[in-house]
């Protein structure tokens, strides 16, 4: 027998109301990263950076966590709070850093560096986390690496730009896995310099996933939440932002008197400064995933337990 036809997906304000209705009915919580579309951020229960989102996911008592972000974030939520059903509106919402660190190759890399402490950025798969001693995010990477005794060599994966920045902050050599974020790596330095010339008083805020060449221009460097704080504190009225432009939604709302500028990518024929994975999520997919309770994130229990340990070590550092 054929399944009964589903009602069409509502549009406009009705779609927003239908999402909120489903959320109530399922006792769900919607968590969104700052890189999500503004309309998703506006109806989320909590919007934050990777660290904050994992902290909220770990302690929520909602039955269902809908993660408006990318796969590694939803997977981390499941690892931390396995009793909840975790949904990701689009399973293809990946991350070039996570995809660029396949577990087999990472294992072989670690075998070539015996005796090293392994620090992995949260932007990686559960399998990579399970091979790590401790996880970090962009907001605590310096503190996490600094928690390891100086005489112990450290492998840092998978973001070589974040790792290089941490290494410069601490004056400490790190063995870097050669991964990168395809979004932050390609901002155009030439266009940044042009913007700085056009707006000489502008403050430049940058995420540490950017290349060193770009970070050299930055007045402040930090996680998405740190950049939001810097935007509020800065006395500059023009602010140039070197991270995914989804963050501008919140920056503009919190700072109506300031003008925010994004930096185009080196290839100006595309909008490559937008994360194509984050932007796979839409209001319609959010509705469908609540309606169908799918796609669901599933993590085998032995892998979950192995990946949990290094995440808990990070959370214990505060
Ligand atoms: P945050 O740690 O600032 O949330 O960054 C996550 C991310 O994916 C940056 O590209
Ligand atoms: Fe991954 Fe980069 Fe997208 Fe962040 S912006 S989710 S690091 S691809």
């Amino acid at each position: 027998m054929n399944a009964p036809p589903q009602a069409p997906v509502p549009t406009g304000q009705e779609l927003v109301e239908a999402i909120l209705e489903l959320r109530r009915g399922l006792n769900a919580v919607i968590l969104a990263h700052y890189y999500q579309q503004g309309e998703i951020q506006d109806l989320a229960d909590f919007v934050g950076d990777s660290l904050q989102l994992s902290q909220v996911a770990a302690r929520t008592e909602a039955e269902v966590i809908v993660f408006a972000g990318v796969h590694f974030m939803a997977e981390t939520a499941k690892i931390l709070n396995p009793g909840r059903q975790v949904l990701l509106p689009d399973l293809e919402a990946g991350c070039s850093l996570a995809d660029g660190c396949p577990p087999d190759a990472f294992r072989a890399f670690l075998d070539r560096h015996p005796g090293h402490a392994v620090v992995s950025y949260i932007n990686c798969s559960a399998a990579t986390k399970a091979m790590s001693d401790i996880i970090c995010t962009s907001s605590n990477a310096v503190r996490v690496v600094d928690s390891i005794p100086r005489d112990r060599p450290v492998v840092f994966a998978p973001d070589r730009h974040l790792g290089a920045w941490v290494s410069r902050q601490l004056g400490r050599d790190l063995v870097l896995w050669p991964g990168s974020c395809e979004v932050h790596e390609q901002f155009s330095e030439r266009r940044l310099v042009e913007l700085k010339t056009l707006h000489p008083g502008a403050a430049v805020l940058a995420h540490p996933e950017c290349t060193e060449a770009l970070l050299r221009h930055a007045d402040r460097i930090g996680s998405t939440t740190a950049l939001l704080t810097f935007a509020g504190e800065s006395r500059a009225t023009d602010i140039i932002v070197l991270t995914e432009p989804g963050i501008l939604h919140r920056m503009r709302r919190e700072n109506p008197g300031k003008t925010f500028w994004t930096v185009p990518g080196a290839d100006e024929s595309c909008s490559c400064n937008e994360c194509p994975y984050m932007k796979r999520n839409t209001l319609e997919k959010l509705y469908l995933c609540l309606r169908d309770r799918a796609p669901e994130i599933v993590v085998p229990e032995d892998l979950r337990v192995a990946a949990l340990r290094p995440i808990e070590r990070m959370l214990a550092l505060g």
Side-chain angles (χ1 to χ4, degrees):
M1 213 171 66
N2 290 337
Q6 295 271 17
V9 177
T11 53
Q13 188 53 29
E14 280 181 20
L15 177 56
V16 172
E17 275 154 26
I19 291 170
L20 298 178
E21 184 61 36
L22 283 166
R23 183 188 67 179
R24 263 192 301 277
L26 290 180
N27 183 20
V29 66
I30 300 175
L31 308 184
H33 190 267
Y34 288 122
Y35 295 164
Q36 292 295 287
Q37 299 176 15
E39 56 192 11
I40 294 182
Q41 294 188 40
D42 286 345
L43 58 65
D45 295 287
F46 186 84
V47 186
D49 68 9
S50 317
L51 179 63
Q52 294 170 319
L53 290 168
S54 58
Q55 288 165 332
V56 172
R59 62 170 187 258
T60 184
E61 290 183 1
E63 280 167 54
V64 177
I65 299 172
V66 181
F67 218 115
V70 291
H71 189 276
F72 75 81
M73 296 179 175
E75 191 176 58
T76 303
K78 185 69 185 176
I79 292 166
L80 283 163
N81 206 339
R84 316 294 164 205
Q85 183 179 39
V86 179
L87 306 173
L88 181 65
D90 188 324
L91 265 191
E92 302 293 310
C95 168
S96 65
L97 279 168
D99 296 346
C101 189
D104 289 349
F106 192 51
R107 177 77 272 155
F109 184 79
L110 296 184
D111 288 345
R112 293 199 295 278
H113 297 93
H116 286 57
V118 181
V119 179
S120 292
Y121 187 30
I122 198 166
N123 297 37
C124 66
S125 66
T128 295
K129 288 185 176 76
M131 286 182 248
S132 309
D133 294 301
I134 187 163
I135 301 302
C136 70
T137 72
S138 57
S139 53
N140 60 20
V142 171
R143 188 149 35 103
V144 167
V145 172
D146 204 29
S147 73
I148 296 163
R150 282 242 157 200
D151 56 357
R152 178 109 191 259
V154 174
V155 163
F156 188 96
D159 187 356
R160 65 193 167 103
H161 301 304
L162 174 64
W165 177 70
V166 171
S167 165
R168 292 194 295 276
Q169 298 303 298
L170 292 173
R172 179 171 181 173
D173 285 338
L174 304 175
V175 176
L176 304 177
W177 171 267
S180 60
C181 162
E182 67 184 51
V183 180
H184 287 82
E185 197 172 40
Q186 55 74 51
F187 288 116
S188 163
E189 189 182 6
R190 184 177 65 78
R191 293 301 301 275
L192 170 62
V193 172
E194 278 171 15
L195 271 171
K196 285 181 66 166
T197 311
L198 279 172
H199 308 286
V204 178
L205 311 184
H207 196 280
E209 288 176 13
C210 293
T211 60
E212 185 184 357
L214 286 159
L215 292 181
R216 267 196 244 119
H217 296 273
D219 297 298
R220 307 297 289 265
I221 298 169
S223 74
T224 45
T225 296
L227 298 186
L228 255 179
T229 308
F230 296 153
E233 289 170 355
S234 174
R235 290 216 221 111
T237 48
D238 285 293
I239 300 190
I240 301 171
V241 182
L242 281 161
T243 194
E244 215 273 356
I247 188 85
L248 297 189
H249 180 68
R250 183 62 79 99
M251 284 181 173
R252 287 185 170 132
R253 202 173 69 197
E254 290 182 1
N255 302 281
K258 296 178 182 172
T259 307
F260 292 90
W261 303 91
T262 55
V263 181
D267 174 0
E268 295 182 22
S269 64
C270 73
S271 43
C272 334
N273 64 359
E274 291 201 347
C275 174
Y277 311 104
M278 287 279 183
K279 295 301 194 269
R280 289 188 74 90
N281 295 325
T282 59
L283 275 188
E284 182 170 341
K285 288 181 194 167
L286 194 58
Y287 166 83
L288 290 171
C289 97
L290 279 159
R291 187 193 72 183
D292 303 338
R293 295 186 75 155
E296 180 176 2
I297 301 294
V298 180
V299 183
E301 186 58 10
D302 52 348
L303 177 59
R304 188 192 74 78
V305 171
L308 178 63
R309 242 173 297 125
I311 302 174
E312 283 185 333
R313 282 193 200 112
M314 169 186 78
L315 294 177
L317 278 184

